[in-house]
Amino acid sequence: MNMIRSFVLTICLCISTSVVAQQDEDLQKMIIDMLETMADQKIGNANYEELVNDLVSLSQHPINLNEAEKEELEQLFFLSDLQIENILFYRYTNGQLFSIYELQAVEKMDSETIRYLLPFVTVAPVEQKVKMRVFGNIMSRMQSTIQTPVGYLAKNDSTSAAFLGSKEKWMMRGRIKYGDKLDAGFTLEKDQGEQAFPNYFPAADFSSAFLRFNKPVKFIDSWIIGDYRLSFGQGVGVWTDMAFSKSTETAQLRRRAKGINAYTSVNESSFLRGSALRFKFRGWSFSPFVSYKKRDASFVSDSVNDMLVSSLQETGYHRTATELTNRMVIKEKVYGAQTTYKHHLFHIDAGYVNWQIDDAIEEKTHLKNKYRFSGNKQESLWLAHSIFLHKLTVFGEVAIQNLDDYGVYQGITYNSGFDVVVSLAYRKYSKGYTAILSNPFSESSTRGGESGVFTSIRLKPASRLTIKAFTDMFQYDWLRYNVYRPSEGFEWFAQANYDISQQHLAYVRYKSTQKEINSSVNSALYQVISYQKDNIRLFYAYQPSDKWRFQTQFEQAIYREEVSSKGWMAFQDVKYTSGKYQAALRYVLFDIDDYNSRIYSYEPDVLYAFTIPAYMNKGTRIILNLNVKPIKNLRIWGRVAHTNYTGLKQIGSGHQLIEGNQLTEWKLQLQYRF
């Protein structure tokens, strides 16, 4: 073992200089690579900024592999449980690591995973103390469109525009750290169409801030004051953090809760505001939390003219007079506590949360909404477990809401050790299970009445071939939107990656979804029919050198129902990196019949931002991304995306309608690190 270790170190030290020089430039690309497959599963309600913020922050303050505990390594979501166990075992049997590239000697650590790891870990002697220095960054972003939607235009001299503010969206975020003891940050944002609010900040509609103390005194591991997020268990009871559901990445099936964490995103509803602590004593931890904030809602009047909440607003938009009327009109209070015991063979997580608002949510009369939550209070209890038996991991959670409704999620992952990983998960949520603060594994965002079985496999039949696949069978015990009766569905996904060489990579992906929906032809008969949507994607990447990268992708979508439709999309990427400069160009062709056959695809964007539009109609799209580092610590990004639709006279609808067939979007971002 010592001879192998020495040999690996010798080889790795020879190449370390060139690799380290590329780490900062490749950070955004690595994050994109890790998210691309999973992003396709959560279009519409995923907030990728939180994950990107965490990873970028971690890259600036990497984990020391010589003293990292299992909990710290679990922050790196692309590491499997077996890989984490092997890293810890390697350190236990061989002592401290001499180089980060010694990871190649760790069992089951493939080159791709090591490449992902490099920006987020370091190797330093355990006795070496962390330098107590101040470092951080401040970032500002502005974006808009060249064309002006009708919502910003006054109809005449007496009728003003529907949107009260300008069409520019603006955001600023700052983060500062003092060693590993103190962490603080703020976020300011104004959406497109919103006014500035001088009573708060000159150009911000939403403001957020936090202060976090790490290990301030004995037994207190973390203390956050301000805005924060929670993630406990498997997300069935409480989870306000980002989470993936369906994915071919088996490491994602068992969620790794971060407990209490600072909030740095711009979603104006999915966070808590107040204080949270984490007490830690050996394997035990205890986390009490309390939150109070105002949030958006719309109201209706009942039969005796009492005001009831019609719905909680989560868009965060305050562009029109009506949206302004709904701004911060109800008070939300949250309190609770969670406790965890962690052993190297198992984890136990339990807790209680009380959520309430000062006005009650109205009871809906439509049969579809019979089990929808009404009232002004929710109480939830949960119990979660994870059991680690080397190659086998068993995990799950049970939660109870208001001592009546329940949610169950249970799963297993088996890593054979022969490049085969298999996972199985079962979930069931009672008809009335809503758990406002939860975010469990599910097919639908309205999870009440859903049950299902999810299976996935990842195998490597050849050294350069990787196959990933999953199936999901689900059903609903009650009516849903656009479905007259209880329904069911099935989805399967398969992808084969082939590393042709170090310069060439290709994959083929197939996804098929089958669900039930109300018939649009015989609506008077309340008939429910099935539809099927199939997507096939071909992808090829060629990187002849560190400076150049070329990517080609083609995707076909076929929608089969009473009225079928289809569509295709193809793009070509060219990316050039040289020293302080980087440029990326994408040219897209698409021809898609309608909304049912729409195609989603990730687009290159500035750091921290993710754009995943739905391609529809027929036309072309050109995207140009530039970033430059003019001086030390300062980086500037610019993005322009121009779409030309064939045969359209108008783009969009309502207040977002644009006359003509062209849409040009621009984005500018600056970041200064110190």
Side-chain angles (χ1 to χ4, degrees), residues 14-27 29-30 115 502-504 542-550 574-584 627:
C14 292
I15 64 171
S16 63
T17 303
S18 61
V19 174
V20 172
Q22 292 294 323
Q23 284 183 9
D24 186 63
E25 293 293 328
D26 289 345
L27 177 58
K29 174 183 170 296
M30 290 182 181
R115 183 172 64 87
Q502 291 184 343
Q503 289 79 33
H504 301 266
Y542 171 54
Q543 188 165 351
S545 67
D546 292 338
K547 292 184 177 182
W548 290 96
R549 181 178 175 87
F550 303 89
V574 179
K575 184 176 181 181
Y576 177 76
T577 303
S578 179
K580 298 179 180 180
Y581 305 92
Q582 188 178 89
N627 80 71

Side-chain angles (χ1 to χ4, degrees), residues 86 150 161 307 314 387 533 548 609-610 658:
N86 288 342
V150 297
M307 298 303 292
E314 298 183 352
I387 303 172
K533 184 178 181 181
W548 290 96
F610 281 80
I658 293 174

Side-chain angles (χ1 to χ4, degrees), residues 569-609:
M569 182 205 69
F571 69 71
Q572 176 63 52
D573 281 349
V574 179
K575 184 176 181 181
Y576 177 76
T577 303
S578 179
K580 298 179 180 180
Y581 305 92
Q582 188 178 89
L585 178 68
R586 171 173 291 188
Y587 182 71
V588 188
L589 290 169
F590 57 95
D591 186 355
I592 299 168
D593 290 343
D594 55 25
Y595 179 79
N596 289 330
S597 54
R598 67 195 182 277
I599 295 176
Y600 290 101
S601 180
Y602 169 80
E603 291 185 348
D605 212 323
V606 301
L607 185 64
Y608 300 102

Side-chain angles (χ1 to χ4, degrees), residues 480-545:
R480 301 175 62 247
Y481 172 73
N482 211 19
V483 187
Y484 293 128
R485 59 168 172 76
S487 57
E488 60 185 14
F490 177 77
E491 183 173 83
W492 69 275
F493 172 102
Q495 178 171 315
N497 291 9
Y498 187 68
D499 294 317
I500 303 170
S501 67
Q502 291 184 343
Q503 289 79 33
H504 301 266
L505 168 68
Y507 73 75
V508 57
R509 172 187 298 178
Y510 189 86
K511 178 184 176 183
S512 180
T513 303
Q514 302 170 35
K515 292 183 180 180
E516 293 181 312
I517 192 173
N518 293 341
S519 170
S520 57
V521 176
N522 298 312
S523 57
L525 301 177
Y526 296 96
Q527 182 179 359
V528 175
I529 61 172
S530 296
Y531 77 83
Q532 179 174 328
K533 184 178 181 181
D534 299 313
N535 289 68
I536 184 167
R537 176 186 293 185
L538 304 175
F539 176 88
Y540 170 72
Y542 171 54
Q543 188 165 351
S545 67

Side-chain angles (χ1 to χ4, degrees), residues 353-509:
V353 63
N354 183 299
W355 175 92
Q356 54 185 293
I357 53 178
D358 55 349
D359 290 289
I361 297 175
E362 68 164 335
E363 185 174 352
K364 303 294 184 181
T365 57
H366 194 286
L367 183 62
K368 171 176 67 71
N369 298 314
K370 178 180 179 180
Y371 296 98
R372 181 176 174 177
F373 174 73
S374 61
N376 70 333
K377 182 179 179 180
Q378 276 191 359
E379 293 181 286
S380 295
L381 293 161
W382 74 88
L383 176 63
H385 67 276
S386 295
I387 303 172
F388 310 101
L389 303 173
H390 188 49
K391 295 180 180 181
L392 182 68
T393 302
V394 182
F395 54 90
E397 181 177 354
V398 177
I400 300 175
Q401 173 190 306
N402 291 345
L403 301 179
D404 188 15
D405 292 292
Y406 64 89
V408 177
Y409 177 65
Q410 301 291 325
I412 59 173
T413 295
Y414 178 70
N415 191 326
S416 69
F418 298 99
D419 294 318
V420 178
V421 184
V422 181
S423 296
L424 171 69
Y426 170 78
R427 81 263 191 191
K428 183 174 179 59
Y429 310 112
S430 66
K431 296 183 183 72
Y433 190 78
T434 55
I436 291 172
L437 296 178
S438 70
N439 185 12
F441 186 106
S442 63
E443 162 67 22
S444 172
S445 57
T446 54
R447 62 197 68 91
E450 178 179 322
S451 60
V453 176
F454 177 90
T455 60
S456 70
I457 185 170
R458 183 182 189 275
L459 65 154
K460 204 174 180 69
S463 60
R464 294 182 178 180
L465 177 63
T466 302
I467 297 176
K468 306 175 181 180
F470 72 71
T471 64
D472 187 28
M473 295 178 290
F474 48 89
Q475 63 181 23
Y476 300 96
D477 298 336
W478 194 245
L479 287 64
R480 301 175 62 247
Y481 172 73
N482 211 19
V483 187
Y484 293 128
R485 59 168 172 76
S487 57
E488 60 185 14
F490 177 77
E491 183 173 83
W492 69 275
F493 172 102
Q495 178 171 315
N497 291 9
Y498 187 68
D499 294 317
I500 303 170
S501 67
Q502 291 184 343
Q503 289 79 33
H504 301 266
L505 168 68
Y507 73 75
V508 57
R509 172 187 298 178

